[in-house]
Amino acid sequence: MLLRKYKDSDCEAVSRLFYDTVHTVNANDYSVSQLSVWAKNYESLKARHCDLLEQNTLIAELEGIIVGFGSIDKFGCLDLLFVHKDYQNQGVATYLCNELENGFTSIKTFASITARQFFEKRGYSVIKTQCVERLGVKLKNFEMIKIQHY
């Protein structure tokens, strides 16, 4: 697996991956209306293209296929972490996180119901359970933190 920096030309593929992942991987934990507002359509991630360029955003590729991506800001907030639906449980998220978390003593993230267990296995603890509202629809997630000791 190859890890590389996000570039302009990745926007379309990453947006599609985001949309597909939300609508398939998270389908057991969220309703159809929740999934729809979460991903609205893949345009919602395209709107964040500048954020992806500004943050440390990494792309995971396998044989030229984008199988995942993740981003962390300069303050240690792990903003996005999504793995293609066909590459779940194959170490992609772990590989991305190992690189993204490197150098931070404290990392914060807002994990979905689906991702909570993954982050707990990585040493994150829930600070609080919260309900965010998007387009009038409420979605449950978890503010989590990890403290690393070097």
Side-chain angles (χ1 to χ4, degrees):
M1 189 174 339
L2 169 72
L3 277 188
R4 63 169 177 78
K5 296 289 272 177
Y6 173 84
K7 56 189 178 194
D8 281 332
S9 59
D10 294 323
C11 186
E12 182 75 29
V14 164
S15 297
R16 246 185 294 137
L17 186 151
F18 166 74
Y19 180 87
D20 290 344
T21 300
V22 168
H23 282 277
T24 55
V25 175
N26 300 94
N28 291 330
D29 297 313
Y30 294 92
S31 71
V32 172
S33 62
Q34 289 173 317
L35 297 172
S36 293
V37 298
W38 182 356
K40 278 191 280 189
N41 55 45
Y42 70 93
E43 297 296 322
S44 60
L45 192 59
K46 282 184 173 181
R48 299 202 50 215
H49 177 64
C50 289
D51 291 339
L52 296 175
L53 289 170
E54 287 178 18
Q55 295 177 357
N56 181 19
T57 303
L58 298 177
I59 300 292
E61 282 187 346
L62 194 57
E63 298 177 6
I65 297 168
I66 295 177
V67 297
F69 71 98
S71 68
I72 193 165
D73 69 17
K74 63 184 177 183
F75 303 107
C77 182
L78 185 62
D79 186 17
L80 298 166
L81 181 66
F82 289 91
V83 174
H84 189 286
K85 62 183 174 64
D86 297 334
Y87 294 89
Q88 295 288 310
N89 302 309
Q90 295 181 32
V92 177
T94 298
Y95 195 46
L96 283 162
C97 277
N98 287 347
E99 186 64 31
L100 291 168
E101 294 173 353
N102 193 25
F104 291 97
T105 54
S106 173
I107 303 115
K108 183 165 89 170
T109 195
F110 298 91
S112 66
I113 296 167
T114 312
R116 178 182 173 172
Q117 187 177 27
F118 169 80
F119 285 110
E120 286 176 332
K121 287 180 181 176
R122 290 190 62 77
Y124 285 75
S125 300
V126 174
I127 298 171
K128 68 179 176 181
T129 302
Q130 56 186 20
C131 202
V132 295
E133 190 172 317
R134 292 192 181 166
L135 302 173
V137 178
K138 294 185 179 182
L139 295 102
K140 180 178 179 180
N141 73 11
F142 305 92
E143 183 176 344
M144 301 181 79
I145 193 162
K146 177 181 180 180
I147 306 298
Q148 300 191 109
H149 305 283
Y150 289 99

